[in-house]
Amino acid sequence: MKTLFCSLICAVLAFQTVEGKVSRKERKALLDLYESTNGSHWVKKWDVHGPVDQWYGITVANGHVTEINLFRNNLMGNLPASLGDLVYLQVLNLAFNHITGELPREMISLEQLRVLRLEMNKIRGKLPEEMGKMRNLQEITIFNNFLIGRIPTSIGDMRNLRILNLSSNNLQGEIPNTMGQLTQLETLGLFDNRFEGMIPVEMANLVNIRELVMANNQLRGSIPSGFAQLANLRIFQIQNNKFDSFKSLETMDSGQFLVFDYDKKESHRDFKDIETIKTRMADTKFEEENEED
């Protein structure tokens, strides 16, 4: 009996070593990702017969996959539904690749995820309606894709968000008033979409906001008067919209801005315009082209 028990222990240990100390389910999810995104043509490929914790861009902690970082690695194809099985994942960085298709709804199972970076791909379709369940997210960057539809109202449940950049997509409709619940938000990019309607007055609750870029949309009405209380705001871009009035901007402290762009129809306004600033969020789609893998 003792011999049998020892044999079973040895078998389990040997299995864990081969599997890279992760479960079969998590390993399969990674293999699905490898196959569905044409892993044989990646810049840095995986030795799928070796331990998972030695695969490029994979971090394993306490027997679970906690990070996938395949930035600019020539991924081509769709994201598999089994990605949602990586429930211990905290960081998913697949930016600057050639990923197509829609975001799998199963991704909402990644409730431990803190960082989601999918910018500079070719992702289509809508944002998952229930994405608000991913309450631990602190950063979402999906700019420069082909997303359509509206921002789900459930986004207001992501109370830990600090960075949200959805610029340069085909998103439309009104900005949900639940956006005002993201009081930890420091950076918000909605540049170059098809948003319409008025800016929700609730967005004046974003007291930590530093970069607010909503240029190149179809927003109308006036700027909420509560924006005058956003003392941390440094980059503010609202040009190329359909606003009726900029009167509420009179109460804003122009001296607080590094970049302040709006449609300057009311020329008597004395705002601080610095046209030479190059660090505008509207241009962030190019900011990482020199980032090392």
Side-chain angles (χ1 to χ4, degrees):
M1 187 68 179
K2 183 177 180 180
T3 302
L4 178 60
F5 178 78
C6 291
S7 298
L8 289 172
I9 292 297
C10 290
V12 170
L13 290 175
F15 176 78
Q16 286 182 333
T17 300
V18 172
E19 296 293 298
K21 299 181 180 179
V22 303
S23 69
R24 185 184 296 274
K25 191 173 186 179
E26 290 184 57
R27 187 175 189 275
K28 182 183 183 301
L30 293 177
L31 289 174
D32 288 347
L33 175 64
Y34 189 77
E35 293 174 5
S36 65
T37 58
N38 210 1
S40 61
H41 289 274
W42 287 5
V43 176
K44 296 184 178 180
K45 305 175 182 61
W46 289 344
D47 175 8
V48 296
H49 300 293
V52 171
D53 55 2
Q54 294 182 19
W55 294 0
Y56 172 75
I58 300 300
T59 299
V60 175
N62 299 319
H64 298 290
V65 178
T66 58
E67 181 172 345
I68 300 176
N69 188 346
L70 297 172
F71 175 88
R72 194 187 283 153
N73 201 41
N74 202 37
L75 278 66
M76 299 178 288
N78 298 353
L79 297 178
S82 57
L83 199 64
D85 291 332
L86 300 171
V87 294
Y88 295 90
L89 199 63
Q90 297 178 25
V91 176
L92 178 60
N93 183 356
L94 304 178
F96 284 74
N97 282 291
H98 308 282
I99 297 170
T100 54
E102 300 185 6
L103 295 175
R105 182 184 176 278
E106 290 78 5
M107 284 184 66
I108 64 175
S109 298
L110 305 179
E111 296 183 6
Q112 300 301 314
L113 201 64
R114 293 184 290 103
V115 176
L116 176 61
R117 295 189 53 189
L118 298 171
E119 67 264 30
M120 296 299 290
N121 280 287
K122 301 176 182 179
I123 298 170
R124 300 180 180 276
K126 300 179 180 180
L127 293 169
E129 287 292 332
E130 298 174 289
M131 66 184 297
K133 290 184 177 180
M134 304 165 75
R135 291 183 174 86
N136 283 306
L137 271 169
Q138 298 176 20
E139 176 179 350
I140 302 176
T141 52
I142 319 183
F143 61 82
N144 264 76
N145 279 279
F146 299 98
L147 295 175
I148 61 173
R150 299 170 178 265
I151 297 177
T153 56
S154 68
I155 200 167
D157 294 329
M158 297 180 173
R159 305 297 176 87
N160 293 310
L161 264 185
R162 295 182 181 276
I163 298 174
L164 175 61
N165 193 338
L166 302 174
S167 294
S168 297
N169 280 285
N170 292 311
L171 296 168
Q172 61 188 33
E174 297 185 355
I175 300 172
N177 57 14
T178 54
M179 191 77 74
Q181 298 171 190
L182 306 178
T183 55
Q184 300 301 313
L185 204 62
E186 298 175 2
T187 297
L188 175 59
L190 303 177
F191 166 82
D192 196 21
N193 280 284
R194 292 189 291 162
F195 293 116
E196 56 189 17
M198 302 179 68
I199 298 176
V201 295
E202 290 84 357
M203 287 182 63
N205 295 327
L206 305 181
V207 294
N208 289 302
I209 198 76
R210 297 180 60 85
E211 301 182 22
L212 180 54
V213 181
M214 297 183 286
N216 291 17
N217 282 287
Q218 300 178 45
L219 298 170
R220 58 179 176 79
S222 59
I223 312 302
S225 58
F227 274 30
Q229 307 302 317
L230 299 179
N232 292 309
L233 191 58
R234 296 293 179 269
I235 297 177
F236 188 31
Q237 294 181 279
I238 53 174
Q239 72 274 22
N240 298 328
N241 278 287
K242 298 180 178 181
F243 293 116
D244 302 322
S245 171
F246 297 97
K247 185 175 178 59
S248 59
L249 298 181
E250 290 179 331
T251 57
M252 299 187 76
D253 179 8
S254 61
Q256 75 185 62
F257 297 108
L258 296 176
V259 176
F260 189 3
D261 286 337
Y262 70 106
D263 295 321
K264 304 168 181 64
K265 296 177 181 178
E266 301 178 42
S267 59
H268 63 279
R269 306 276 187 251
D270 184 20
F271 295 128
K272 182 180 180 181
D273 299 316
I274 305 178
E275 303 295 348
T276 58
I277 293 295
K278 300 300 182 182
T279 57
R280 296 180 177 179
M281 188 174 169
D283 296 324
T284 55
K285 54 182 176 292
F286 306 112
E287 71 182 358
E288 296 177 279
E289 290 188 354
N290 296 318
E291 182 175 327
E292 295 182 358
D293 293 353

